Amino acid sequence: MQAVAAALTLLSVILTLDFLSAHRSNADPIKPQNDRNTHTDETAQTKKNQPHIIFILIDDQGFNDIGYHNPTIKTPTLDKLAAEGVKLENYYVQPICTPSRSQLITGRYQIHTGLQHSIIRPSQPSCLPSHMDTLPERLREAGYATHMVGKWHLGFYRKACLPTRKGFDSFFGSLTGSVDYYSYGSCDGPGLCGYDLHDDEGVAWGQEGKYSTTLFTQKARKILESHDPTDRPLFLLLSLQAVHTPLQPPKSYIYPYRDMANVARRKYAAMVSTVDEAVRNVTYALRKYGYYRNSVIVYSTDNGAQPFTGGSNWPLRGRKGTYWEGGVRGVAFVHSPLLRRRRRVSKALLHITDWFPTLVGLAGGNISQSQGLDGFDVWPTISEGKESPRQEILHNIDPLHKSPPETTSWGGTSMKAPAVSSSKGAGIKKPKKKKKKVLKQKLSKKSAFKLKSTKKPLTFSHRAAEPKISKPLPKAKLRPVPKPQILSSGSPPSGTSRPKYRPQIQTHLKTKSKRTTTQNHNSSKSAPSKTQLRFELKSKPRQTSFRYQNMSKPKSHPAPQSRLQSSLSPVWDTSVQAAIRVGDWKLLTGDPGHGDWVPLQMLPTLPGRWWNLERTLSPLYKSSTLKNVWLFNITGDPYERQDLAEQRPDVVQQLLARLAYYNQTAVPVYFPPDDPRADPSRHGGAWVPWVGEDEDEEGKYQGVYKKGRNGKKKKKEKKRCQLCKLKSFFLKLNTGMMSSRI
């Protein structure tokens, strides 16, 4: 028995040693297996934290064209989503289609993409710069599936310009700016029409008769149905054509608005209701297919409304195509279960360029790879109510849009405006008489606005960067400071509230030489590489005055001086169309567009009584030919009814310097003439890319042109009576709407 017990003891010892040996040998493989599991869990957690992003972009919806601003517009879905989310009530877009869309997709101001002037027309060989990254590209790098449905309007003359070549996995929609809602025909003037509905890079024939808003919504729902929300995050850009002209709502949607006397307004309101139903169907699909709990829905218009075609921006001033608040202040809200502070109104200053860094950051992407962004990551502002990092907005600088020669301008960089002279030393040539508009720029090699190809990458800092100036002006020193200092303002004029902050700019110019500005060129080109634009408000703005002279009149007949004109330092050519918002202040120069306040009581015929309702009350229109500078305190005067340019020349001077500073970072305008090869009749009746990938189309044009017929210059029009001019104006307006449908 003792022997058996000893044998059992020995056997147990051997088995114990074998177990311990096996445990030690398996210990190392188990550890990396746990590491792999941990890494997999982290990856899954990252994917889970990436929200699905649904961006709904509406076309031409005005500030007064949504239910929570105007109860006569029936938008229950939009009202509910906005009420449960965050309404963006200090949000800005661009005044027309292409600039807004380009800034959404690239996150850059249009002065940095070459798209400063007008829109991209169907026959123009133009699109987004080929070297510039886009929002869908950055989201796709972060692991997103990217899809776009609806209106593109960012150029398509070559395949490299198409949405599927700019970061979208799929595309279904139209490429041009305005399409018939049923036939999908698009025209670029009389006799130049074609079919415009595309599926990825091919023409989507056979969809005639289907209402575009309904068709685009169905396509968006199919994308949501076919995609697995647990496998990969989704970015969907639903860019509806509505409520852009032509006004073609289904009849069933018109009935609720039958009491509206204005037929155009009635149809327009009905189309807004179709948008509301589309958003309801999309949000229903988000809930049905499992996206909603981890989704962010952004709703935004692309520009203000056009009252001539039924829209309303009341009580804001101006309309689509202008830089008044009615053209650039947009309707927008964010709805998401991920918002930390919901059911509120945000008054933070936001711009459409902010969506690029905001959405990329929300998706866990890397925005440091995107050089030269003009937008800011404003998600903490939207979600948590924190202060907006944005303090200013450059609405635009369009060097091709200049006021008539009769309009006053202060160009150059010297301290004293020289007399009109034909000598080269004066640097400013006397403009030709009766030249109404800059149609074509014939530029020297030194001109800042010379057209160049935008193929080479151009990098800019996150804020406006200091440019490299090849030939600086001797003895003139300016130094820009990108971020304005926030200081309390002095006592505001009567009738306005006290601004929260105001940037301070003081321009120090030291030069003994005469002013030497280049023709068709702002003074920022003459500014040296070391410049000073220090933000500092002077308590005595008029202690240094400058002699003003109307450059379009003979030397012996100077124009009368105003306090503003005598107080301005000539740092900017104010005949150039430009607009900037800094803090509470907004400055407009050149021709900002028609600045009417169009009330709700619009009559169905034009011109009606409302046409002169506000115009006769303002002295602006009596001397509009001599007016090219406007200043408003938007916080205290959001409807732009009190121009403070005369009372606050110090602030005007500061913002003019800021415009000159931004202009130093601008790239040349790219606005080529129409290409006859784009004619749809040459391509089976459809608008499609017409330039081969091996052709250098951008390098062909060494100037910028205004659209014309066969490149011929228009003949000078004879003088006509005022009534004839008024009739001609409305005839041209109607013709333009019907042909180009801008």
Side-chain angles (χ1 to χ4, degrees), residues 15-45:
L15 291 176
T16 301
L17 292 175
D18 289 342
F19 174 77
L20 292 175
S21 177
H23 178 71
R24 282 194 298 268
S25 64
N26 292 333
D28 291 338
I30 290 176
K31 185 175 182 179
Q33 181 66 34
N34 289 337
D35 288 343
R36 285 194 297 269
N37 291 338
T38 302
H39 179 71
T40 303
D41 292 342
E42 290 177 354
T43 303
Q45 185 67 22

Side-chain angles (χ1 to χ4, degrees), residues 19 86 91 111 256 262 265 330 371 391 433 453 474 514 705 732:
F19 174 77
V86 178
Y91 169 73
I111 66 166
N262 189 338
R265 180 64 174 166
Q371 299 296 321
Q391 297 177 2
K433 294 182 179 180
S453 172
K514 294 182 179 181
Y705 303 83
K732 290 180 179 179

Side-chain angles (χ1 to χ4, degrees), residues 397-435:
I397 299 173
D398 186 355
L400 301 190
H401 192 155
K402 302 188 73 173
S403 299
E406 290 78 14
T407 305
T408 59
S409 62
W410 298 272
T413 57
S414 69
M415 299 295 288
K416 184 177 181 180
V420 178
S421 174
S422 59
S423 62
K424 295 181 180 180
I428 298 183
K429 297 182 180 179
K430 183 178 179 180
K432 296 180 180 180
K433 294 182 179 180
K434 297 182 181 180
K435 185 176 180 181

Side-chain angles (χ1 to χ4, degrees), residues 275-350:
V275 170
D276 185 80
E277 183 178 283
V279 174
R280 180 174 64 86
N281 291 333
V282 170
T283 53
Y284 175 80
L286 291 174
R287 297 175 186 272
K288 179 179 179 180
Y289 301 118
Y291 295 88
Y292 179 76
R293 292 182 180 274
N294 188 34
S295 67
V296 174
I297 302 173
V298 181
Y299 181 94
S300 169
T301 184
D302 68 338
N303 48 248
Q306 175 57 272
F308 283 115
T309 56
S312 176
N313 303 307
W314 181 265
L316 301 180
R317 182 177 186 177
R319 54 183 183 263
K320 173 183 178 178
T322 74
Y323 290 96
W324 305 105
E325 290 292 284
V328 296
R329 187 171 170 185
V331 171
F333 64 81
V334 176
H335 179 93
S336 173
L338 307 179
L339 292 169
R340 294 189 178 181
R341 291 183 57 195
R342 291 182 283 174
R343 301 178 182 274
R344 64 185 182 88
V345 175
S346 172
K347 295 294 183 66
L349 185 63
L350 305 175

Side-chain angles (χ1 to χ4, degrees), residues 600-619:
L600 291 173
Q601 296 80 12
M602 295 188 304
L603 299 181
T605 58
L606 293 175
R609 285 174 295 175
W610 65 268
W611 176 253
N612 294 313
L613 181 63
E614 297 284 355
R615 297 171 69 96
T616 56
L617 300 179
S618 173

